[in-house]
Amino acid sequence: PKLKEMNDSFRAKATDGRSFCGGIEDLVLYLAVADIAEEKLMLSAGIPVKFNVYMDNKGVGACDVISGGPLPEEVAPPDGSTAL
């Protein structure tokens, strides 16, 4: 319930024609840049990650985020490298 409440609240605050989280309808976890534990990890859609989940008075979030394995082909760099 807390995750849904947080998502509903963020969606209600999206204004000026902006959509919450790119318009995604699924429930999402809050993630701050400070929660990324792996130096130089650049997040984008489709990149596998591992993380811990926490709950606080503001909602539910991810912390201690690290890479979760090799990049899927659709997000892998064109040179074939897997460095993040």
Side-chain angles (χ1 to χ4, degrees), residues 15-75:
T15 59
D16 299 329
R18 296 183 351 219
S19 60
F20 171 69
C21 221
I24 190 168
E25 297 289 327
D26 293 330
L27 297 176
V28 298
L29 296 174
Y30 176 81
L31 172 67
V33 173
D35 293 319
I36 300 172
E38 185 175 319
E39 191 173 327
K40 298 184 181 181
L41 175 61
M42 300 295 290
L43 298 181
S44 66
I47 293 179
V49 294
K50 294 179 183 177
F51 56 89
N52 291 314
V53 176
Y54 70 88
M55 190 167 27
D56 63 16
N57 62 338
K58 294 181 180 180
V60 184
C63 63
D64 303 323
V65 179
I66 60 172
S67 58
L71 295 175
E73 283 187 33
E74 61 271 12
V75 296

Side-chain angles (χ1 to χ4, degrees), residues 1-10 13 28-30 54-61:
K2 190 154 190 162
L3 180 60
K4 181 172 178 359
E5 289 173 15
M6 180 188 75
N7 277 256
D8 290 346
S9 174
F10 281 135
K13 292 178 185 176
V28 298
L29 296 174
Y30 176 81
Y54 70 88
M55 190 167 27
D56 63 16
N57 62 338
K58 294 181 180 180
V60 184

